[in-house]
């Protein structure tokens, strides 16, 4: 590691550790409400777990447990202090950046790794999420190191470690559980034998098995970490705009010629049956409104490709700033695409694995909702691609001079 790289790392560490206690003053949404959105539920669940020992799912069968237990561990040591969790988030963010730097260094050298580190440290989504008590803070380092392990840990212990990371990733974001099978298929292609994928997938499944057994026994039905019926209905209905409507339960929904409040449609008292009801209602709405659903898919993609969400402010200056932010973000994504495309020559295995992860992320966005948060687990790979893209364009320019 060169001296310049060392100084860059010291600057990034200082930036991340300084941002954690200042997030509630810097982030406008946190300034208005330090616990916002899902952070309210996560805080309640973690503190209840510490103070009463009760693990209760406040958001239906939708919350994976890993980050909640991690928060509870912080509360057990520091008391009910969200600021302590933000400091932990900063450390998790640095762990993700370390994995991003190592991965980029192995693939494209130190210059690209340093640029990826700088872009990752200043990336608004990757930086601002550390102020929020959201599960993505744990998902990011797990994803980066799982990808690194799949590529470079080429032994029995390495395969098992990669599987454990994939299992923990699924226990952090339940929608990533199917990626275990995708990673196993990629590993079978990459290793050309059954030993690596069998050990990786088996370790991942053993990692999630205790929680799956616990939650399934608790509710009397098989629950693979979480269920997605309610989320599917929440994001696919006549009122959906590409994201999640916080007042969805109070909306009136028309299905099969009958109109009722969403609360009335979801009448089952058992949470598993209520989730099944939501799944059936979502699929029914899609069948009855295929054109509106296709429009909604476009809306989800537009929301995902917008730097700060689809907004239409009346102030011209704010509107111009948002358009500029979107333009910069599109340039960033274009550079990422170019960089990942270039990496197919240096590491075909990484290019395919990145494409599979990005593809699965995009599919979940189309199924559920768009925005910066659903895309967040893939942002380290996008940042890596952007850094490689910039370095490749610079090298081409130097060669032409």
């Amino acid at each position: 590691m060169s001296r310049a790289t060392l100084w860059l790392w010291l600057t990034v560490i200082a930036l991340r550790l300084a941002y954690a206690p200042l997030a509630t003053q810097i982030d406008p949404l946190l300034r208005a409400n330090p616990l916002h959105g899902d952070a309210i539920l996560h805080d309640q669940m973690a503190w209840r777990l510490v103070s009463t020992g009760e693990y209760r799912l406040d958001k239906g069968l939708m919350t994976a447990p890993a980050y909640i237990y991690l928060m509870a561990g912080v509360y057990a040591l520091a008391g009910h202090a969200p600021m302590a969790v933000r400091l932990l988030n900063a450390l998790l963010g640095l762990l993700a950046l370390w994995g991003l730097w190592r991965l980029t260094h192995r693939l494209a050298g130190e210059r690209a790794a340093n640029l990826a580190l700088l872009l990752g440290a200043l990336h608004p989504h990757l930086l601002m999420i550390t102020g929020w008590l959201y599960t993505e803070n744990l998902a990011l380092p797990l994803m980066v190191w799982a990808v690194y392990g799949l590529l470079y840990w080429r032994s029995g212990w390495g395969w098992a470690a990669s599987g454990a990371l994939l299992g923990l990733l699924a226990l952090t974001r339940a929608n990533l559980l199917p990626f275990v099978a995708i990673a196993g298929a990629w590993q079978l292609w990459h290793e050309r034998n059954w030993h690596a994928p069998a050990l990786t997938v088996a370790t991942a499944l053993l990692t999630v098995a205790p929680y799956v057994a616990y939650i399934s026994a608790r509710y009397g039905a098989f629950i693979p970490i979480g269920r997605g019926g309610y989320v599917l209905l929440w994001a696919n209905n006549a009122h959906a705009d590409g994201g999640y409507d916080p007042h969805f339960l109070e909306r009136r929904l028309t299905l099969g010629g009958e109109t009722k409040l969403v609360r009335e449609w979801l009448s089952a008292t058992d949470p598993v049956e209520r989730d099944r009801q939501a799944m059936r209602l979502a699929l029914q709405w899609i069948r009855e409104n295929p054109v509106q659903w296709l429009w909604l898919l476009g809306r989800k993609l537009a929301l995902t490709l917008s730097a700060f969400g689809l907004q239409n402010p009346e102030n011209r200056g704010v509107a111009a700033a948002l358009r500029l932010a979107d333009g910069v973000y599109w340039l960033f994504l274009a550079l990422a695409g170019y960089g990942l495309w270039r990496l197919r020559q240096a590491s075909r295995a990484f290019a395919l694995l990145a494409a599979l992860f990005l593809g699965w992320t995009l599919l979940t966005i189309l199924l559920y909702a768009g925005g910066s948060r659903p895309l967040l687990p893939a942002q380290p790979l996008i940042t890596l691609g952007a850094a490689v893209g910039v370095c490749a364009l610079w090298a081409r320019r130097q060669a032409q001079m």
Side-chain angles (χ1 to χ4, degrees):
M1 183 182 292
S2 67
R3 181 175 296 182
T5 300
L6 179 60
W7 278 108
L8 176 60
W9 262 110
L10 291 174
T11 303
V12 168
I13 291 170
L15 169 68
R16 285 304 183 100
L17 293 179
Y19 180 79
L22 297 175
T24 53
Q25 283 77 49
I26 297 174
D27 189 321
L29 288 173
L30 293 180
R31 192 163 56 240
N33 184 358
L35 291 178
H36 188 85
D38 282 352
I40 299 172
L41 298 175
H42 296 165
D43 174 72
Q44 291 173 349
M45 292 173 68
W47 181 241
R48 183 188 304 114
L49 185 59
V50 172
S51 56
T52 69
E54 180 188 5
Y55 178 71
R56 192 170 77 209
L57 295 173
D58 286 340
K59 200 178 178 185
L61 300 170
M62 297 161 49
T63 306
Y67 187 69
I68 305 304
Y69 275 87
L70 190 61
M71 283 181 62
V74 173
Y75 285 166
L77 294 173
H80 194 186
M83 184 60 69
V85 179
R86 293 189 177 94
L87 288 170
L88 174 65
N89 289 346
L91 296 176
L92 291 172
L94 288 171
L95 183 60
L97 290 175
W98 173 240
L100 173 62
W101 188 89
R102 287 287 305 275
L103 182 58
T104 312
H105 192 279
R106 292 288 294 264
L107 291 168
E110 187 166 329
R111 177 178 295 181
N114 288 346
L115 182 56
L117 173 61
L118 184 62
L119 291 174
L122 300 177
H123 193 307
H125 301 155
L126 293 174
L127 175 62
M128 294 174 71
I129 194 64
T130 58
W132 297 60
L133 276 57
Y134 277 10
T135 58
E136 285 79 6
N137 285 291
L138 180 56
L140 285 165
L142 289 172
M143 186 283 298
V144 173
W145 284 103
V147 169
Y148 186 92
L150 287 168
L151 284 167
Y152 298 117
W153 296 341
R154 309 289 293 279
S155 66
W157 285 109
W159 298 330
S162 298
L165 289 172
L166 288 171
L168 289 172
L169 180 61
L171 287 172
T172 306
R173 298 287 296 173
N175 66 312
L176 291 172
L177 179 59
F179 187 72
V180 172
I182 296 172
W186 171 88
Q187 210 171 26
L188 178 62
W189 165 82
H190 182 50
E191 299 289 349
R192 297 293 194 271
N193 66 66
W194 286 95
H195 300 95
L199 185 53
T200 299
V201 172
T203 306
L205 294 180
L206 287 173
T207 302
V208 305
Y211 181 75
V212 171
Y214 160 75
I215 203 72
S216 298
R218 178 173 174 177
Y219 289 100
F222 177 66
I223 301 173
I225 302 177
R227 296 180 67 92
Y230 177 73
V231 185
L232 188 67
L233 179 61
W234 195 3
N236 296 276
N237 62 82
H239 303 285
D241 63 356
Y244 290 117
D245 179 1
H247 307 293
F248 173 57
L249 287 174
E250 309 306 325
R251 305 294 188 191
R252 302 189 71 84
L253 198 60
T254 300
L255 290 167
E258 185 178 2
T259 301
K260 293 189 293 188
L261 289 173
V262 175
R263 287 188 182 277
E264 297 174 359
W265 281 111
L266 302 177
S267 57
T269 57
D270 177 70
V272 177
E273 182 54 35
R274 188 162 58 247
D275 190 85
R276 290 171 179 158
Q277 282 183 332
M279 177 73 74
R280 290 192 294 268
L281 292 171
L283 295 177
Q284 182 179 349
W285 181 83
I286 293 171
R287 286 194 302 269
E288 293 179 0
N289 303 275
V291 175
Q292 188 175 351
W293 183 63
L294 290 175
W295 174 88
L296 184 58
L297 295 185
R299 187 74 174 176
K300 293 175 183 179
L301 288 175
L303 184 61
T304 302
L305 295 175
S306 178
F308 296 105
L310 299 176
Q311 303 177 50
N312 297 296
E314 296 181 0
N315 185 289
R316 290 185 178 181
V318 174
L322 289 173
R323 286 196 296 270
L324 176 61
D326 282 348
V328 173
Y329 189 48
W330 296 339
L331 176 61
F332 173 74
L333 293 176
L335 287 169
Y338 174 68
L340 292 173
W341 176 253
R342 287 294 299 263
L343 278 173
R344 81 193 191 283
Q345 299 173 347
S347 178
R348 185 183 175 194
F350 169 76
L352 178 57
L353 184 59
L356 289 171
F357 190 86
L358 289 167
W360 178 254
T361 302
L362 180 61
L363 178 60
T364 57
I365 285 172
L366 292 175
L367 286 175
Y368 298 107
S372 60
R373 187 181 174 191
L375 188 61
L376 197 58
Q379 284 292 358
L381 298 180
I382 295 172
T383 302
L384 186 158
V388 172
V390 170
C391 289
L393 289 174
W394 179 258
R396 174 178 291 186
R397 182 178 180 277
Q398 293 294 102
Q400 293 174 348
M401 291 178 62

